[in-house]
Structures are given as C-alpha cells and as structure tokens.
Amino acid sequence: MGKALDGVRILDFTHVQSGPTCTQLLAWFGADVIKVERAGAGDVTREQLRDVPDADSLYFTMLNHNKRSITLDTKSAAGKEVLERLIKRCDVLVENFAPGALDRMGFTWQRIQSLNPKMIVASVKGFGPGPYEECKVYENVAQCAGGAASTTGFDDGPPLVTGAQIGDSGTGLHLALGIVAALYQRNTTGRGQRVLAAMQDGVLNLCRVKLRDQQRLERTGVMKEYPQYPDGKFGEAVPRAANASGGGQPGSILKCKGWETDPNAYLYFICQAPVWKEICKVIGKEHWVSDPDYSTPNARLPRLKQVFEAIEQWTMTKTKLEAMAILNEHDIPCGPILSMKELAYEPSLRATGTIVEVDHPKRGKYLTVGNPIKLSDSVTEVKRSPLLGEHTEEVLGELGYGAQDIAALRSGKVI
Ligand code: CAO
C-alpha cells in the first residue's frame, strides 16, 4: 500500500526542534524529505545533549526519522547552484532559520517563485509580523510569550513552563497542517504560496481557553472553577489555575497510596456532573447526593476544596491504577499520573506504534515516539534518522550531477 504523501518532495532546511517535528511528520506520511545540512557540522542538535560519544544524540535522532540527509554549503556559488536545482525539483521548502536568513542566502520568495512557481515555502518563526518579528526564539521563550507560562503554576508561585513542547513541536504540528492545506489548494490554483506558523501564535492557539477566561473575568470579575474562588482574590488577568480543570467539569490532582515516596503516585480526578451519584457512592458520601449543598454542580462550586479533600481521602487508600480501575467501572473520568518510565515500558503503546524501538548503526537500539497520528491506509514505519550527509551522492545523482561533478564539489568543500 502506498503512503498518503507519496510523490511529495520536501526540501528540509530545518534545525533544532520546531521545523524538524514538522518535516518528520510529513516524512512519516510518505513524503521524500531531503534535509540540507552544513558539511562537517550539520544540525546543531546532532551533538547537543549527547549520551553516546561520537553518535548522533537522541535529541537529533528522535526528530529526524525517515529523512535523507545531504551536506551543502548554501552560501557558496556552487552550493547555490545545487540549491537551485533542488528548488526546481521539490514541492515544499520548509525552514526555521532566524528571520531573514533565507533572504541573506539569496533565496527570497520572489527568487524561489521565479525558479519554481509551484513551490510552497513554509516557515516557523518566533513571532509573526510586528514589533518582535526579528527576534530569535526558543521553546520556553514561546511558552512565555504565548500566554502559557503566565497561566501555568500555583497562585502563590512564579509562572511555570510545561514539559510539553508546545512552542516547538506544537508549532511544527501547526506548520505541517498549513503545508498539507497549501498542497491541497495547489491542486486547483497550480501555484505555491507561503505558509507561516509563528511560535507565539501556535502557543496562544493552544492556550485558547485562557483567552476565553480573560474575557469571562473582565465581564464577571470571578471564575468559580478556579482555586481562587471563593476565598482568594482575582486580579485583572487570568491567574494561574494550579491543577484545576480548564473545562466545565471541575478536576484536580489527588494523592494516591504511596505518594509519600513515589513522586507520581497521583491521579487526576474529574468531578463530572452526570456521575456525581456514582462518585458519592464510591467515596462513601452517599448523603451528598441529596444534600442541597452538594447535590448540584453550582452548589458544589464554592465547596470544591472540601469535595476534593473527601475524594482524596478515598484515593489515598488505593494505588493510582487500582483507583483508576474502580472509577472506570463507574464511568468516572480520571487519569493516572504516568511517569516517562511507565510510558516507555507500556505494552499497549508499543503495540500501536506510539512508542517504537529503532536501531541505529552508531548508537544501537533506542526508543522513540512514533507517529501519534494513525491513518488506516497509510501506516507509518519509523526508520532511523540519517547520518550526516548519508544521502549526498544519491540526491546529487538524482539532480543530474555525475561522479566527477560530485568529486569537484567535495574537493571544493561545497558538500
Ligand atoms: N550552508 C551555509 N549556511 C547555512 C546553512 C548551510 N547549509 N544552513 C544554515 N546556514 C546559515 C544561515 O544562512 C544563517 O546565516 P546568517 O545568519 O549569516 O544569515 C546561519 O547559518 C545561522 O542560522 P540561524 O540564525 O537560524 O541559527 P542560530 O543558531 O543563530 O539561531 C534559532 C537558532 C533557533 C534561535 C533561530 O534559527 C530561530 O529563531 N528560528 C526561528 C524560530 C525557531 O524555529 N525556533 C525554535 C528552535 S527549536 O527550540
């Protein structure tokens, strides 16, 4: 069976995390992704956070599966010529350089269009047009500038960044969707277009519910599902909500058996209104079903602290997985706090290809996260990341360069 993006050629000028996340997804769906790297160095992440001497780091390998790698000095005259041929042959150019780098290389949008009017040029930048557009941006800068940090953490503590890479990988996901949409539109227009995913915009999109809350706060001055209600104070901006649920059903993280020694012996408990009766039964508070102070969601809002304290008295008598099994029998939504160790060895994630073991010639076997998006007719097979320049000769051959030309490029340090 073919793959969804068979025949799509991607000129991959990405590095670090945000851009590589995007092109890895496209490669998993079957696109031919040609990663262009500087000879001798390559993507800076090849050597960042190394755990095996002289082998590509997990940082690099886990973001660059299913790609081909060529080395090319795109600032040299001969390198620019190779790049021109690549632009003419590819469908999409993806880049996440600092602002202006592609222009400085001599490849403006106008120039690329004149070389290949069908080409889609997709970019990750830190900020969209405006006062900060020239700034370089990394993950946590985006989390702070996109509203995530100011709304994450405990009320009495500083802003917090989250381990989920919503700035980098999140924006890579947004960009991938933009590219697929532009490819689809090209079927009718016959033309390429530019696709921009700014990291600030991507994070803000993922923090959409907090902009919802900002407007609710401005209108009513209070948000009853936040931990600041009823005893604390609300200011002018959405406060940090600790572990309160961001939706219409209150929730909280509760201790489970073993919490004193196990930092992950916790469970997220959602106090979903339709199963209130079952919750009361499970925790032994049947009288709350008819008690007017607790029987309705609105009555419970000022008493959420007491409600969750009572539920926690029960969860502390069970391990997180025991509690989950019992709660699921009653259709009560909950989530165990799973550690990376537990996820790495979870058999069901291995069975679905969400966690995959990959073999690498220099570093041996390692685990990675496979394609989280499953297409029934385009199944992802995760292939190891390329060594630096592993496919240079193969790709140059496809571009029409003969053995002598390639030798000349090599001796001139262009590749
Ligand atoms: N041959 C020759 N030169 C090359 C090349 C190649 N194959 N590949 C890259 N270069 C050059 C670029 O042209 C650029 O040169 P100039 O500065 O002279 O124009 C230079 O290498 C460095 O590129 P850069 O500015 O993108 O890299 P940096 O390390 O200084 O900055 C980063 C890194 C991530 C801060 C910046 O790229 C950025 O802000 N990107 C956009 C936002 C983004 O994606 N951030 C997420 C990164 S993941 O946390």
Side-chain angles (χ1 to χ4, degrees), residues 261-309:
T261 51
D262 176 356
N264 294 307
Y266 290 83
L267 177 91
Y268 200 93
F269 192 105
I270 297 181
C271 209
Q272 195 204 12
V275 288
W276 176 242
K277 208 168 139 189
E278 284 73 13
I279 293 171
C280 294
K281 197 164 119 195
V282 168
I283 66 168
K285 293 268 185 194
E286 280 94 341
H287 58 283
W288 275 358
V289 177
S290 51
D291 183 336
D293 279 351
Y294 291 91
S295 58
T296 66
N298 276 343
R300 288 193 290 276
L301 281 173
R303 299 174 182 83
L304 282 180
K305 204 162 164 259
Q306 294 91 303
V307 168
F308 283 120
E309 273 169 10

Side-chain angles (χ1 to χ4, degrees), residues 126-154:
F127 294 92
Y132 307 117
E133 66 185 303
E134 297 302 326
C135 300
K136 287 185 177 178
V137 170
Y138 283 102
E139 170 69 47
N140 289 342
V141 178
Q143 287 199 25
C144 294
S150 74
T151 53
T152 303
F154 290 91

Side-chain angles (χ1 to χ4, degrees), residues 37 46 56 69 360-362 384-391:
E37 297 177 82
R46 284 189 186 265
D56 288 332
S69 162
H360 186 277
K362 291 213 171 152
R384 71 164 173 87
S385 58
L387 302 176
L388 179 60
E390 188 176 343
H391 305 94

Side-chain angles (χ1 to χ4, degrees), residues 14 41 68 75 80 117 120 134 142 163 168 208 265 283 317 343 397:
T14 68
R68 298 198 281 170
K75 285 189 172 163
K80 285 181 205 274
I120 291 156
E134 297 302 326
D168 279 335
R208 174 174 296 262
I283 66 168
T317 67
L343 290 165

Side-chain angles (χ1 to χ4, degrees), residues 10-51:
I10 312 278
L11 169 46
D12 182 9
F13 247 143
T14 68
H15 63 158
V16 201
Q17 186 182 160
S18 63
T21 309
C22 165
T23 51
Q24 177 170 260
L25 275 170
L26 301 173
W28 278 338
F29 289 131
D32 176 14
V33 175
I34 302 166
K35 183 164 173 117
V36 180
E37 297 177 82
R38 253 185 292 205
D43 188 325
V44 67
T45 59
R46 284 189 186 265
E47 58 172 44
Q48 280 180 348
L49 314 178
R50 255 190 189 147
D51 58 325

Side-chain angles (χ1 to χ4, degrees), residues 86-104:
L86 273 168
I87 289 172
K88 285 180 183 159
R89 196 171 151 80
C90 290
D91 300 280
V92 188
L93 185 158
V94 190
E95 61 94 18
N96 67 312
F97 290 129
L102 209 54
D103 294 354
R104 287 193 291 278

